[in-house]
Amino acid sequence: MRHWMISFVLVGFASCTATAPLDETAALEKGKRITSATFQALSARLSAAMQAGGPARAVEYCSLNALPLVDSISVAEGVHIKRTSDRLRAVHDSPDADEKRALQVMLDQWAQGNAGTVLSDVRMLGDSVAYYQPILIASPTCLKCHGTAGLDLDSNAFAVITQHYPEDAATGYALGELRGMWSIRWKN
């Protein structure tokens, strides 16, 4: 009788703590929706700052407001949103171990000339879902803050970058290059 009770309690406990299987299609859709909304919100505000004061004003805006904006969307969506790269602008965007793994896969695909195959990735990390999506330098406007000094990087923006981000490594990009990735995580 006791063995049966212990087994029942253990099975009941295990079913309460088991993680649901990953619905990859739904997770990819959710991740894409959140990254799209976050990108649109951030882009709209950066565009407004750029129109108000050029690329230097956009960098200033980003240094003060991008993280709080992304954090507010994270809270509203019940997820954790982060932008990361192998070439960081802000230290708080440093990739964790799994982000480094996903980013390296994307960078390897890119380096092999497979730009079209650098795709979003979704996976389970314990009881959480991790969604990763590449960030590309998609517009000449991006180069005003992420381009090459003396070429397309705005000199006033570069001065603000060096002031706010003394260890910046997020310049020197060309149009169409892989800039980094979005990392979105949520409980499964």
Side-chain angles (χ1 to χ4, degrees):
M1 176 84 166
R2 284 184 182 226
H3 295 296
W4 176 82
M5 266 172 82
I6 291 171
S7 296
F8 179 75
V9 169
L10 289 175
V11 168
F13 178 74
S15 67
C16 291
T17 60
T19 302
L22 176 64
D23 180 342
E24 192 171 326
T25 301
L28 285 167
E29 289 173 6
K30 179 176 181 173
K32 185 176 181 178
R33 178 186 56 78
I34 293 169
T35 56
S36 178
T38 307
F39 177 75
Q40 287 175 6
L42 189 56
S43 292
R45 286 167 178 84
L46 286 174
S47 292
M50 192 159 310
Q51 287 178 352
R57 177 65 190 114
V59 172
E60 187 73 38
Y61 174 86
C62 201
S63 73
L64 299 172
N65 300 298
L67 187 59
L69 174 65
V70 170
D71 287 347
S72 71
I73 296 170
S74 291
V75 169
E77 291 286 348
V79 300
H80 180 262
I81 304 169
K82 180 176 162 186
R83 295 170 297 155
T84 191
S85 179
D86 62 324
R87 295 165 49 189
L88 296 172
R89 175 148 290 163
V91 176
H92 61 77
D93 290 330
S94 295
D96 66 21
D98 199 66
E99 290 166 337
K100 282 181 185 178
R101 177 209 56 81
L103 186 58
Q104 192 58 56
V105 168
M106 290 179 189
L107 290 166
D108 289 347
Q109 291 170 340
W110 189 267
Q112 294 169 5
N114 299 320
T117 63
V118 180
L119 302 174
S120 300
D121 180 30
V122 65
R123 61 185 289 141
M124 289 297 300
L125 288 179
D127 64 348
S128 295
V129 176
Y131 170 86
Y132 304 120
Q133 179 177 312
I135 299 172
L136 303 175
I137 300 292
S139 157
T141 305
C142 300
L143 297 173
K144 301 284 185 197
C145 302
H146 293 287
T148 301
L151 184 60
D152 38 28
L153 177 62
D154 182 84
S155 60
N156 293 326
F158 187 62
V160 176
I161 290 167
T162 57
Q163 177 187 359
H164 287 285
Y165 307 102
E167 297 179 31
D168 178 70
T171 59
Y173 287 97
L175 191 60
E177 282 191 315
L178 181 65
R179 161 71 183 97
M181 72 177 192
W182 290 97
S183 172
I184 315 288
R185 295 203 181 145
W186 64 88
K187 292 287 184 196
N188 188 27

